[in-house]
């Protein structure tokens, strides 16, 4: 059983770039005018819809509480208070919550790679007996709405079967369930499948064992897919809310999202908005740096439960 | 087995070159082959074992556990007792149960109207614009990168009827402000706007990628046949992207039926229970009333409701793979 969105060709099949509107139409005087008008409208609309709210949040954080409460709102702050950010940092103890979130997201990323990469390699290149059954059982979990598993998974982490450990308030409560990620295994396996078996065979004749082959031969040429999977897992862990909300009842252990939601009611608005801006900065930076990988991961098939 | 490193499970199965092998009896050959296969499988399963453990513990076992819990009463003090369909009966007796399903279907319906059409039109538009492409892609996807809690809290502040961004903007052009989250008629729709804004980036870019794979010749041929722009859109663009549209439609139905963060953070289910969703009620049953049995029964119902769409999705994508 496989689940895949239609595979895109390596390159868009439109080298000519010909789309709905014909180039000849665009070249006419009228066509050009319409194009410019539509372009400017789209540009303004996109900027207003997607960037202006972010501007509003950043400047809002720097307004005085009095100005924030005044009607009508001001587009440019009358007085600038950049110290809101340092104040928010101290008031909310943001350093601690950043660290918590980094531990949760970083650990989730490491555990997922450590668990899912060897598994995908084994399924793709070693092809054990019942490998297809195992893969099928893993992919079936993609069909389940994540929410339907919330309660039983919560019950499971409070008392692990056989081990009788309680993972509540421990980052492992995030890391371990995150590693049971069929989508990662599916993406990795699909990539490994395209690596010619001859390479594995050659490594084997050179006397490298499977683990060394994975480490020295497969992983170096799998950098693109490892980057995609890494980015996807880190972003997902950073954005997650409902699961960390459940497994971190201890306020000192919570992630940024859970903490922000908890203090939202009593925090002065300018500080709350400053905290929200700070909590989003790492994701925005990540996006600007790894845009290519993020968009590749998106079109590789966005199976989200 | 004459490999010097044959003691380690993580080794390749030893292969002795055919020429040096003494002619062996059929039985011996079979045994050797069996041994080799066994070792190969051992190696593979050693690499697989961590994945098998986490899947068993956090995916497969909870699936079974969830079904069992639906028919049990658990309080974490006494051992669970079997209660048959009592949990389901309790759910159906709760007046909020019907309200939650109705609200969720309403949310999904609205979210599809906006979240399905707007991204498609945006993608068609962006595909025609040959300038500032990178900027448009960046802009539309930025909201996707924000943590959902930040988005929800931010929009809650925008919706503030007094100094909030939206009413300030409406008032500045002479329009009266709206109640947004404070009125049971507009609260759910307000949540749909947030969710659409936050998620349309992914959908738009997936459609855009699909549009870019349509061969230009198709448009040229349609044009030669005298098809105008709208007919080209209807008879070329739409059929060519039908598959992606359908797949994302199914994914969006499944995702929007599980809406939780927006109502939890922005309205807490109010005003007048107008934004209580299935997942919010499920959360209350489990973590407010500590009634894990009823919460599991609700999960099971949610799974049954969404199973149809998931199954369709899997069938579709499977066909595409073959």
């Amino acid at each position: 059983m496989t689940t895949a969105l239609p595979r895109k060709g390596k390159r868009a099949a439109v080298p000519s770039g010909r789309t709905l509107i014909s180039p000849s139409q665009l070249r006419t005087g009228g066509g050009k005018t319409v194009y410019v008008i539509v372009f400017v409208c789209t540009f303004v609309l996109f900027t207003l819809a997607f960037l202006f709210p972010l501007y509003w949040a950043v400047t809002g954080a720097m307004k005085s509480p009095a100005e924030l409460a005044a009607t009508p709102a001001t587009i440019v702050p009358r007085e600038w208070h950049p110290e809101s950010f340092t104040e928010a940092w101290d008031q909310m103890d943001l350093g601690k919550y950043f660290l918590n979130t980094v531990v949760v997201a970083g650990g989730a990323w490491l555990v997922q790679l450590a668990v899912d990469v060897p598994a995908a390699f084994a399924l793709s290149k070693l092809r054990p007996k019942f490998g297809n059954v195992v893969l099928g059982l893993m992919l079936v979990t993609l069909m389940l709405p994540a929410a339907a598993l919330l309660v039983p998974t919560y019950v499971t982490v409070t008392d692990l079967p056989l081990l009788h450990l309680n993972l509540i308030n421990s980052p492992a409560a995030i890391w371990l369930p995150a590693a049971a990620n069929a989508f990662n295994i599916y993406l990795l396996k699909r990539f490994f499948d395209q690596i010619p078996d001859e390479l594995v065979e050659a490594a084997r004749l050179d006397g490298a064992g499977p683990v060394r082959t994975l480490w020295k031969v497969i992983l170096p040429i799998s950098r693109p897919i490892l980057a995609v999977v890494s980015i996807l897992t880190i972003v997902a862990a950073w954005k997650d809310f409902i699961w960390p909300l459940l497994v971190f009842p201890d306020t000192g252990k919570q992630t940024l999202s859970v903490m922000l939601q908890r203090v939202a009611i009593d925090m002065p608005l300018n500080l709350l908005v400053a905290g929200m801006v700070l909590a989003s900065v790492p994701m925005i930076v990540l996006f600007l740096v790894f845009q290519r990988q993020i968009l590749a991961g998106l079109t590789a098939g966005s199976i989200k439960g | 087995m004459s490999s010097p490193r044959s003691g380690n499970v993580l080794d390749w199965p030893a292969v002795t070159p055919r020429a040096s092998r003494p002619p062996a009896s059929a039985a011996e050959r079979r045994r050797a082959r069996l041994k080799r296969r066994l070792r190969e499988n051992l190696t593979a399963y050693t690499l697989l074992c961590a994945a098998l453990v986490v899947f068993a513990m956090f995916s497969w076992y909870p699936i079974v556990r969830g079904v069992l819990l639906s028919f049990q009463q658990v309080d974490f003090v006494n051992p669970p007792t079997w209660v048959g369909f009592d949990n389901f009966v309790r759910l159906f007796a709760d007046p909020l149960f019907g309200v939650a399903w109705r609200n969720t279907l309403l949310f999904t319906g609205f979210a599809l109207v906006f979240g399905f059409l707007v991204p498609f039109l945006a993608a068609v538009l962006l595909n025609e614009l040959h300038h500032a492409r990178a900027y448009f892609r960046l802009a539309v996807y930025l909201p996707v990168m924000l943590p959902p809690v930040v988005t929800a809290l931010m929009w809650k502040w925008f919706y503030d009827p007094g100094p909030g961004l939206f009413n300030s903007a409406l008032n500045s052009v002479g329009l009266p402000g709206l109640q947004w989250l404070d009125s049971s008629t507009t609260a759910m729709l307000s949540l749909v706007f947030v969710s659409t804004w936050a998620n349309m980036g992914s959908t738009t870019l997936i459609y855009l990628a699909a549009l870019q794979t349509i061969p230009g010749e198709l448009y040229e041929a349609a044009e030669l046949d005298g098809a105008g722009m709208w007919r080209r859109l209807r008879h070329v663009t739409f059929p060519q992207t039908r598959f992606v549209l359908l797949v994302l439609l199914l994914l969006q139905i499944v995702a929007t039926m599980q809406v939780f963060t927006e109502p939890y953070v922005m309205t807490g289910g109010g005003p007048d229970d107008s934004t209580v969703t299935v997942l919010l009620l499920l959360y209350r049953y489990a973590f407010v009333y500590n009634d894990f049995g009823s919460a599991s029964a609700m999960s099971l119902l949610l799974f049954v409701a969404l199973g149809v769409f998931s199954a369709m999705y899997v069938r579709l994508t499977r066909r595409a793979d073959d």
Side-chain angles (χ1 to χ4, degrees):
Chain A
M1 195 204 90
T2 49
T3 28
L5 280 184
R7 245 166 263 171
K8 279 178 48 197
K10 285 276 168 286
R11 249 167 253 89
V14 217
S16 62
R18 160 72 216 243
T19 52
L20 192 56
I21 317 269
S22 70
S24 55
Q25 240 181 332
L26 276 179
R27 273 196 294 273
T28 60
K32 263 204 184 105
T33 315
V34 172
Y35 177 85
V36 168
I37 291 171
V38 170
F39 175 82
V40 170
C41 287
T42 311
F43 193 90
V44 170
L45 191 72
F46 267 61
T47 308
L48 271 182
F50 301 116
L51 287 165
F52 187 70
L54 304 185
Y55 161 86
W56 195 257
V58 174
T59 53
M62 292 191 268
K63 290 174 184 172
S64 68
E67 191 178 344
L68 273 178
T71 318
T74 47
I75 293 185
V76 179
R78 274 196 295 271
E79 326 163 344
W80 295 82
H81 294 283
E83 71 274 11
S84 295
F85 288 108
T86 47
E87 221 175 300
W89 186 273
D90 296 334
Q91 280 246 3
M92 293 188 220
D93 205 355
L94 280 178
K96 179 168 79 182
Y97 291 103
F98 260 100
L99 185 67
N100 288 350
T101 315
V102 167
V103 166
V104 161
W109 167 62
L110 282 175
V111 174
Q112 282 182 72
L113 283 189
V115 171
D116 296 348
V117 169
F121 170 71
L123 290 171
S124 168
K125 291 287 172 242
L126 308 181
R127 297 192 200 101
K129 215 171 171 58
F130 306 121
N132 278 339
V133 179
V134 170
L135 184 66
L137 282 173
M138 287 175 175
L139 291 175
V140 158
T141 60
L142 287 176
M143 282 179 60
L144 298 166
L149 283 185
L150 211 56
V151 172
T153 312
Y154 176 83
V155 174
T156 306
V157 296
T158 56
D159 180 20
L160 288 188
L162 308 178
L163 305 171
H164 295 296
L165 290 169
N166 183 349
L167 297 181
I168 294 297
N169 284 327
S170 142
I174 308 254
W175 299 342
L176 297 174
N181 186 327
F183 186 55
N184 284 350
I185 292 185
Y186 166 75
L187 274 186
L188 289 162
K189 180 182 175 292
R190 210 172 69 176
F191 189 91
F192 294 158
D193 283 345
Q194 291 168 345
I195 297 174
D197 284 352
E198 288 77 25
L199 272 178
V200 181
E201 202 54 38
R204 173 175 158 172
L205 291 176
D206 288 344
V211 178
R212 262 196 73 190
T213 307
L214 174 61
W215 192 250
K216 293 269 189 220
V217 179
I218 302 283
L219 290 190
I221 47 178
S222 303
R223 276 207 195 106
I225 197 71
L226 292 176
V228 167
V229 169
S230 299
I231 286 288
L232 285 180
T233 53
I234 290 172
V235 170
W238 195 278
K239 285 175 65 176
D240 199 8
F241 171 64
I242 185 165
W243 189 242
L245 172 75
L246 300 183
V247 298
F248 293 129
D250 177 350
T251 52
K253 299 266 201 304
Q254 289 171 347
T255 58
L256 280 165
S257 284
V258 180
M259 180 277 291
L260 282 170
Q261 194 277 323
R262 176 170 51 85
V263 303
I265 299 163
D266 333 307
M267 197 50 64
L269 188 57
N270 60 332
L271 298 188
L272 178 68
V273 175
M276 280 155 39
V277 169
L278 291 172
S280 310
V281 166
M283 288 296 100
I284 307 258
V285 170
L286 212 61
F287 178 48
L288 296 177
V289 176
F290 296 103
Q291 231 192 107
R292 250 202 22 242
Q293 283 79 8
I294 289 173
L295 299 184
L298 185 72
T299 43
S302 48
I303 305 177
K304 279 216 165 76
Chain B
M1 289 292 171
S2 58
S3 156
R5 293 175 289 106
S6 59
N8 184 351
V9 122
L10 286 174
D11 273 338
W12 296 113
V15 183
T16 30
R18 228 167 231 298
S20 68
R21 215 181 276 164
S25 71
E28 258 181 14
R29 264 212 308 276
R30 240 201 333 268
R31 237 197 333 269
R33 208 170 40 231
L34 200 71
K35 240 173 153 169
R36 202 178 72 210
R37 283 297 302 159
L38 195 72
R39 179 176 291 282
E40 272 174 21
N41 280 310
L42 259 178
T43 307
Y45 276 104
T46 309
L47 288 173
L48 269 168
C49 87
L52 288 173
V53 168
V54 291
F55 268 93
M57 226 171 228
F58 302 106
S59 268
W60 301 326
Y61 170 73
I63 291 171
V64 178
R65 188 76 195 267
V67 176
L68 297 180
L69 277 171
S70 306
F71 302 97
Q72 288 176 336
Q73 199 177 354
V74 268
D75 54 10
F76 293 118
V77 185
N78 309 306
T81 47
W82 293 96
V83 292
F85 282 91
D86 281 10
N87 292 327
F88 293 89
V89 172
R90 189 171 316 120
L91 284 181
F92 286 115
D94 183 347
L96 268 186
F97 180 77
V99 171
W101 280 97
R102 211 201 54 207
N103 289 340
T104 305
L105 286 171
L106 201 70
F107 180 91
T108 297
F110 279 130
L112 289 180
V113 171
F114 293 106
F116 189 65
L117 282 176
V118 174
F120 185 69
L121 295 175
V124 170
L125 188 66
L126 293 192
N127 202 29
E128 296 309 318
L129 298 173
H130 304 291
H131 301 87
R133 274 226 170 136
Y135 170 75
F136 286 133
R137 271 206 305 262
L138 185 100
V140 80
Y141 203 75
L142 261 183
V144 181
M145 296 305 290
L146 298 178
V149 170
V150 168
T151 304
L153 289 169
M154 200 164 81
W155 277 69
K156 195 177 172 179
W157 166 48
F158 294 163
Y159 280 139
D160 190 308
L165 171 62
F166 296 144
N167 278 358
S168 295
L170 286 172
N171 293 336
S172 70
V173 292
L175 292 167
L178 292 168
Q179 288 288 303
W180 303 113
L181 300 171
D182 297 340
S183 143
S184 54
T185 43
T186 51
M188 195 49 115
L189 204 53
S190 304
L191 296 186
V192 171
F193 292 148
V194 184
S195 160
T196 305
W197 182 82
N199 298 314
M200 77 175 269
S202 339
T203 344
T204 306
L205 295 183
I206 292 173
Y207 289 152
L208 190 59
L211 289 173
Q212 284 170 346
T213 60
I214 300 176
E217 299 84 54
L218 290 179
Y219 288 117
E220 276 158 20
E223 208 176 345
L224 290 176
D225 290 342
M229 197 178 87
W230 293 114
R231 285 191 50 204
R232 289 204 289 272
L233 185 68
R234 247 200 70 199
H235 295 289
V236 178
T237 315
F238 214 72
Q240 287 288 316
T241 47
R242 200 170 40 197
F243 179 80
V244 178
L245 283 166
L246 191 54
V247 165
L248 283 191
L249 178 72
L250 293 172
L251 279 180
Q252 278 179 307
I253 291 173
V254 174
T256 51
M257 290 284 289
Q258 301 178 61
V259 58
F260 172 80
T261 303
E262 289 90 349
Y264 181 85
V265 173
M266 296 175 76
T267 61
D272 297 334
D273 296 327
S274 64
T275 54
V276 172
T277 60
V278 171
L279 214 53
L280 199 61
L281 191 60
L282 192 154
Y283 172 87
R284 282 186 196 172
Y285 266 104
F287 302 102
V288 181
Y289 317 144
N290 278 325
D291 181 353
F292 283 85
S294 299
S296 297
M298 200 143 180
S299 307
L300 196 62
L301 292 171
L302 185 71
F303 166 66
V304 170
L306 293 180
V308 185
F309 301 110
S310 297
M312 270 169 76
Y313 167 79
V314 168
R315 272 201 53 173
L316 259 180
T317 44
R318 210 159 126 191
R319 261 224 314 272
D321 242 22
D322 295 340

